[in-house]
Amino acid sequence: MRNNVDQNGMREKPFYLLVGLRSGRRGRLGAGGGVVAMADEMEDLLLKSFMSEVSEVERDNEVTRILSCFKLNPFEHLNLSFDSSVGDVKKQYRKLSLLVHPDKCKHPQAKEAFAALAKAQQLLLDPQERDYILSQVDAAKQELKVKKKKELKKDNASKIKAMLDEGKSEQQYEQSQEFKQQLKIKVREILTEQEWRRRKMAMRISEEEGRLKKDEEETKEMWKRKREHEEQWEETRDKRVSSWRDFMKTGKKGKKGEIRPPKLKTEDPNKSYVQRPVNRG
């Protein structure tokens, strides 16, 4: 094994020894928490060392992979299986976020990929969102199992083999790459369908809220016009009373039952009849 020598003629220490020297004191502080802290620090140093050696091409490829993932499935963004734990989510996010960080990756869409990873981690760390996604995964598994059973019923040889295996074939099928790929596609279909239903429901709610708001505005406008009309009516009350009094003083009423002929307009040449005086008796 070749030993590396620095400029002063001293032999360089291996990376794991340097890590041990840096974190050895912390590891000796306690038998429990100190050792765990030392292990975490060693893992962080190893991860940073690994990331510094990753080529720019690999960073660009990871950005492309993240942006091509199905947007509704955060497991795809983090490149994790559906049975991954919360700890796996945090660890994978830290690894990939260092890989595509805009300050370290020169890809023009590194910022978008970094934001997609952050959103994926946020969804999977939210208990409610995580339970919702996993419930859709379980629904997809059930559909695939039902489909597989129907296929076995048609194939007698496979049916007999499944009866002999007593459930072993089903477990092997769920662990196969074929099942994982089918599950991935089925989860996409279910999540897409659920998202479409959610958007339609949100649109209907928005339309109903808009209709109620419009009715409320129309009601307010109607009461406003009614109030203005009443105010105008009260403002012109004295004027109307005065006009009525003047009419009663100077106005003339015709006799009851009296019929008056229409007035003849001399400028109308089409009128052939002659207006006759009214006989007032």
Side-chain angles (χ1 to χ4, degrees):
M1 179 177 180
R2 186 177 62 183
N3 296 326
N4 297 329
V5 180
D6 59 9
Q7 296 179 355
N8 298 325
M10 300 296 292
R11 182 178 300 172
E12 294 183 356
K13 295 180 176 59
F15 177 74
Y16 62 87
L17 290 180
L18 291 175
V19 173
L21 290 174
R22 291 180 183 178
S23 57
R25 292 181 180 179
R26 186 176 300 179
R28 288 191 297 270
L29 291 177
V35 175
V36 174
M38 181 187 69
D40 292 341
E41 185 177 353
M42 290 179 62
E43 184 177 351
D44 292 343
L45 291 174
L46 287 171
L47 181 59
K48 291 180 180 179
S49 175
F50 169 74
M51 290 304 171
S52 64
E53 298 175 0
V54 175
S55 66
E56 196 65 32
V57 175
E58 292 175 332
R59 295 180 184 273
D60 293 345
N61 291 339
E62 185 61 23
V63 170
T64 303
R65 185 198 68 79
I66 294 172
L67 295 179
S68 62
C69 288
F70 182 57
K71 297 184 181 299
L72 301 178
N73 187 359
F75 285 100
E76 287 192 29
H77 287 88
L78 294 174
N79 199 16
L80 289 172
S81 60
F82 294 118
D83 57 351
S84 300
S85 64
V86 174
D88 296 334
V89 171
K90 294 180 179 180
K91 187 179 296 184
Q92 184 74 349
Y93 168 74
R94 190 171 187 279
K95 177 181 177 180
L96 297 182
S97 61
L98 289 174
L99 192 62
V100 301
H101 196 283
D103 295 340
K104 299 179 181 180
C105 181
K106 298 179 181 180
H107 195 283
Q109 293 181 301
K111 187 175 181 180
E112 288 82 350
F114 184 78
L117 288 178
K119 183 178 180 181
Q121 181 191 224
Q122 182 183 2
L123 290 174
L124 293 180
L125 293 183
D126 186 344
Q128 186 175 359
E129 292 291 340
R130 182 183 179 88
D131 291 342
Y132 167 74
I133 295 172
L134 291 180
S135 66
Q136 305 307 315
V137 173
D138 291 339
K141 287 182 178 180
Q142 293 300 323
E143 288 190 20
L144 292 177
K145 289 179 181 179
V146 171
K147 181 180 178 181
K148 186 66 176 179
K149 289 181 179 179
K150 289 181 178 179
E151 293 177 353
L152 291 176
K153 288 182 179 179
K154 295 180 180 179
D155 188 358
N156 293 328
S158 300
K159 182 179 180 180
I160 296 174
K161 185 177 183 300
M163 293 175 63
L164 294 175
D165 291 341
E166 295 181 355
K168 294 181 180 179
S169 60
E170 184 175 348
Q171 296 178 358
Q172 293 176 356
Y173 171 65
E174 292 182 7
Q175 295 175 359
S176 64
Q177 292 297 326
E178 178 186 0
F179 177 79
K180 292 179 180 179
Q181 185 63 25
Q182 291 177 354
L183 180 61
K184 183 177 179 181
I185 296 173
K186 180 58 68 173
V187 169
R188 287 185 178 185
E189 294 177 359
I190 294 178
L191 288 176
T192 301
E193 183 179 358
Q194 293 297 328
E195 179 65 15
W196 174 241
R197 291 180 179 177
R198 186 191 66 80
R199 293 188 182 184
K200 286 198 300 183
M201 182 62 66
M203 182 179 64
R204 292 176 181 176
I205 294 174
S206 178
E207 291 176 352
E208 183 65 17
E209 290 177 350
R211 187 186 64 81
L212 293 176
K213 185 177 181 181
K214 184 179 179 181
D215 293 344
E216 183 179 357
E217 292 176 353
E218 290 178 353
T219 303
K220 289 181 178 179
E221 185 65 23
M222 181 188 68
W223 284 108
K224 181 180 178 182
R225 291 196 302 266
K226 185 177 181 180
R227 186 167 53 253
E228 291 176 351
H229 176 72
E230 291 176 352
E231 291 175 356
Q232 292 177 0
W233 180 264
E234 290 296 328
E235 290 175 357
T236 59
R237 181 176 181 277
D238 296 338
K239 184 177 179 180
R240 287 183 284 103
V241 171
S242 177
S243 299
W244 175 254
R245 287 175 180 174
D246 294 341
F247 174 76
M248 293 298 293
K249 291 179 180 179
T250 60
K252 295 182 180 179
K253 293 184 178 181
K255 293 182 179 180
K256 188 175 181 180
E258 181 180 8
I259 300 175
R260 295 182 181 181
K263 294 182 179 180
L264 180 63
K265 294 182 179 180
T266 57
E267 67 273 8
D268 190 355
N270 296 325
K271 301 292 184 179
S272 58
Y273 57 87
V274 178
Q275 184 177 5
R276 299 182 181 183
V278 178
N279 185 7
R280 298 182 180 276

